[in-house]
Amino acid sequence: MSSGIWQRGKEEEGVYGFLIEDIRKEVTRASKLKCCICKKTGASIGCVTPRCKRSYHFPCGLQRECIFQFTGNFASFCWNHRPVQIITSNNYRDSLPCTICLEFIEPIPTYSILRSPCCKNAWFHRDCLQVQAINAGVFFFRCTICNNSDIFQKEMLRMGIHIPEKDASWELEENAYQELLQHYEHCDVRRCRCKEGRDYNVPDSKWEIKRCQCCGSRGTHLACSSLQSWEQNWECLECRGILYNSGDFQKAKKHTLPNTNVGITDCLLEESSPKLPRQSPGAQREDLLRQGSKFRRDISTLIIELGFQIKKKAKRLFINKANIWNSALDGFRNQNFNPSYTIEVAYVNENDHFGKEQPGSKQEFLSLLMQQLENSPLFEGSLSKNLSLNSQALKENLYYEAGKMLAISLVHGGPSPGFFSKTLFNCLVYGPESTRPILDDVSDFDVAQIIIRINTAATVADLNSLINEYYNYLELIGCLRLITSLSDKYMLAKDILVYHVIKRVQAPFESFKQGLKTLGVLEKIQTYPEAFCNIFCHKPENLSTKILSDLFTVHTLSDVQALGFWNSYLQAVEDGKSTVTMEDILIFATGCSSIPPAGFKPTPSIECLHMDFPVGNKCNNCLALPITSTYKEFQENMDFAIKNTLRLEKEENSHFIGH
């Protein structure tokens, strides 16, 4: 807090970056200053308000109700100039409880009484807030009423509340959540058919106990509820009554899929502790694995939690498919656009003078947008990409917009990005200073050759020769160093690597990072790096016959023969006996080439109609199958329609782009 000292060194130098010589100078300076409160020397802290000459010790300042801001330049304000909370009018006639300790207080903002910036009826004792901040840490300190963290923390920091950068105290207690690992193992159905009793549980058999997917506090043997496998969802009578009496969820219930899609369970998920998946060892992990892919279940739950922010109020985006990037940019930059509004998509064509618009699929739009983002000049690399240095994009704030687009896409049901390098992802999660880039991160061939030549230098003379050869380049990037031994080559190569991959793109990275904070996505990524790494750094798993057959549900009573043809067709496509791919089928029906992490909404479905060719309705994720007399005719019609539809869409887009 001392006013005359600055953190001039790196974190590992001196005392956390404060150099010893600077500390000594500050001690000397403070020894000449007298505390205006206790009248003793050593008052190193001064009020930052211009023309205010008050200096004081830290404990004396606390006693005299000065405010110390534990952020930015760590400013300090005396009792006359400290920041205050402005309340336009006081409509509270009676006392209100502190929402932490519940003792009644006068709702008047003073040094000791603070009000939440996001909830007008939330008041706190300063001491209660400080204790909560110390216990909760930066990841969990938030408004006790609305759970807001960003606005709340900024205001509390302004008013002098210290929020330590640590994990919450309750997360550090050993076995703090031990009771959560106790599985409920009892069959609660009216007529239990197990001869061994209601508490009998044999894993991987029909007598394994399945818990209610909603409350987890009721159970059934698989056989007692006619469940074919562990993957099937099951709700107890109490939860089922709630679900069926709720009009919002009745339709979703009818078509819920157990493995891949968002069903009723997802809709009713409550906001849980962000660290919960880390507290799931042992038996709980086996439980998750039984229910399918652990990564998909975990990440879908996290994204569904983020999706709770989406309001019913809709915002329509007018998108030109021939120019997805600029259309999206205009829409997201519109002053009336709110990332938390429900997104509706309308496709328009600039060449259509009548101004016609067609309803579009939100997930198709987000899928196309992510493809544009992956192939944009904002990133460099082949498969695993890092941020590039594009001065024009930086000037136009496009890195921020790219991060914002990615965040919006994830929360609103878009596809997995899948193209980040591990280095870029680690920079976002752990910070650039804690990330070690590798040679594969260097997309510039010339720079890669320099690093390789330095690493393979056989003698000190060879190394010095290389330094002389690349002297101008090394001087430009600040990597010139004195070579005393051959082992110095590794530090030199590391310096070049860190500069090219991290330091060179520091400005784009910070801008991109700010955009990724939209809707709290970056905070969620930093809390659950393992789950998000799978969708950021890896492409989705390849589609198979089983995945697609499980994905599509039958909407209405359909032709049995056509459904049989459909299953045979999927197997033929997987075996390579068709010119169509699994991804083509999914794009034809939904507009997406992969299953989004949170599943499709609405659930993809199939129906059979008396017509010659299939029809894909991307807005409803519905695939209409033709009813034919032979399988050969079915396959030919499916191949022809899917292949030519996708080809025409590509040609149409390229035609518009060419003009």
Side-chain angles (χ1 to χ4, degrees), residues 560-630:
V560 176
Q561 180 174 280
L563 292 178
F565 288 168
W566 161 249
N567 291 325
S568 300
Y569 180 69
L570 288 179
Q571 191 61 56
V573 172
E574 185 176 13
D575 294 341
K577 298 176 181 178
S578 168
T579 56
V580 169
T581 65
M582 290 289 187
E583 288 71 23
D584 291 340
I585 298 174
L586 193 60
I587 294 172
F588 181 77
T590 68
C592 302
S593 60
S594 62
I595 301 172
F600 284 103
K601 193 174 182 180
T603 302
S605 61
I606 55 175
E607 57 184 353
C608 302
L609 300 178
H610 288 279
M611 54 187 182
D612 293 331
F613 297 99
V615 176
N617 186 337
K618 298 175 183 177
C619 293
N620 296 324
N621 297 328
C622 182
L623 175 61
L625 301 176
I627 296 178
T628 60
S629 56
T630 65

